[in-house]
Amino acid sequence: MELEMEDQNVEEVETIDTLDRDPSTEFPLRESRLYRTRFPGAVRQKAYRFDGVGGYYNKEWDLTEGSGREFNWYHVELPRGNQKLSVLAQYLIDVLCPPLKLQDILSLVTNGPFCGHVDGAFVFRVNSPGPGSSNFTLRIAARVTENSLITVSLGRVPRLGFSPTGQSLLSEIPSVESPSSRRKDEELENGGAIVIREHVLEFLLTMNHSEEADNPVPKTTANLVVHVIDTHMDHLQDIVTKLEMELDSVEIELDKGGFALKKQMLDDRRFPKMHLNIQRLLQVIAHGEQVFPRVKEKCTTKSWFASEDIVSLEELVGRLRRLKENVGFIANRVTAIQAGLDSWQAEQINRKLYYLSFLSIIFLPLSIITGVFGMNVGGVPWTEQKNPKLKDGFLNVMLICVITLFLVFLCFMFPTVYVYISSWRRRRALKRSWSLNRKSFLRRTMGVPERGGYLRI
């Protein structure tokens, strides 16, 4: 009985506490529930704090700005896939909505080029349309303030992050291990050398720079903006380098390959797909040509943007233009290879048509013979085969056939005969004029007596 009474007293105290509790104390709990993450793990988030003297630290995702010389960087990596823009906008709203507004978030995720001020912050983006699963669909957007930077990218961008510089791979002489070469484990253990796989070496050749190594830590927000644009340019350069290597390997395969390889490339539509990817890459470069010069112009008006950073942005713009020319050369190479394959396919079709024409030539006399001997000339008009005096109905039909063939032959031969006669008359006129000019030249130079008659004018 005593235990039951104590339990009732405890329940009464709890109900009284809940009734007397101030509703303002519950507001933080409601606020935390309201802004709870709806898509946990959908995007990858990185947050850094820079001290302004060359050091950086990982920090919490609170979207606060730095103070003094310190500045913060918040980066969001959208997943690569065939999601709609509305889904990507939901992801950004989930992680950026407080304190960013809807207008700020939509300016970061919308497709197309943009450069301007949104809600007091400087915003620029280079977002290319297309399927997100494609490696040639690139998106980078940034919201810049004096002590804060928020960037959004599609997938992982190489060299965008920071890591301490490790020991160089070339500090020792490396050995490349190819799949064809077989080495014993004892030799590798005794040698103690660095072993590089062949496919790893090919991957490193496609990279314009080392992977997340030897990146200078920015000391100002302007340095960080230049670093973001520089890594975007490096990413484009890596894609172009990979395309060039792929084209080189394809040309070698075409030189060595035969009918089966060329037929497979035509069936797979390899070069039209490559040409489409190049057009997407050119669209990304065109967006950069529209945005980055405007970024340089607007950054010149910022007091916290140094002149060295302006010069770096100008160099990046020139590098982008040179990259566009290089992509144009690659597109011409792809077009030339596709034209070669199309001519090869046309040659194969012509060869098959030649075989069919040869077979038709073989069977044409047989069809003529069977047609001649299968004719029933008894019902042919005006032959009058019933009249014993006129029994030449078959000869009349054959004569008509011969005359018809002769007329058809003349119709086909008339252009050739006309061209031949015209050329013969032209040659004759030129020869005659040359002989007359030669005689007049001899009369003027050697004093040959002139003959009577008319002179050629």
Side-chain angles (χ1 to χ4, degrees), residues 50-88:
F50 299 89
D51 55 8
V53 292
Y56 71 97
Y57 312 94
N58 294 325
K59 67 182 301 294
E60 297 180 356
W61 188 269
D62 52 6
L63 297 176
T64 58
E65 295 190 0
S67 59
R69 299 186 62 181
E70 295 183 354
F71 57 96
N72 300 330
W73 179 27
Y74 305 94
H75 180 63
V76 181
E77 293 181 5
L78 297 175
R80 280 196 173 274
N82 294 327
Q83 295 92 348
K84 297 181 180 179
L85 281 178
S86 58
V87 178
L88 300 180

Side-chain angles (χ1 to χ4, degrees), residues 134-168:
S134 175
N135 294 328
F136 295 86
T137 303
L138 305 179
R139 296 175 184 173
I140 187 72
R143 182 181 185 273
V144 188
T145 58
E146 186 174 358
N147 293 323
S148 175
L149 176 65
I150 299 176
T151 55
V152 179
S153 67
L154 181 64
R156 183 173 175 271
V157 180
R159 295 183 67 248
L160 188 60
F162 297 95
S163 63
T165 305
Q167 187 179 7
S168 175

Side-chain angles (χ1 to χ4, degrees), residues 172-175 183 187-196:
E172 299 181 12
I173 300 176
S175 60
R183 295 189 178 183
E187 295 178 359
L188 295 176
E189 292 178 358
N190 296 332
I194 300 176
V195 179
I196 305 177

Side-chain angles (χ1 to χ4, degrees), residues 339-397:
L341 286 178
D342 292 339
S343 63
W344 174 82
Q345 187 179 21
E347 183 181 354
Q348 297 298 320
I349 294 174
N350 292 333
R351 184 174 299 177
K352 293 178 181 178
L353 292 176
Y354 173 76
Y355 295 152
L356 291 176
S357 301
F358 186 75
L359 292 175
S360 64
I361 290 172
I362 293 176
F363 288 101
L364 182 61
L366 300 178
S367 63
I368 292 175
I369 293 172
T370 55
V372 169
F373 285 96
M375 286 189 299
N376 186 7
V377 296
V380 178
W382 58 265
T383 55
E384 299 180 4
Q385 287 187 354
K386 294 181 180 180
N387 190 355
K389 296 181 180 179
L390 299 174
K391 298 180 180 179
D392 299 331
F394 182 76
L395 294 177
N396 295 333
V397 173

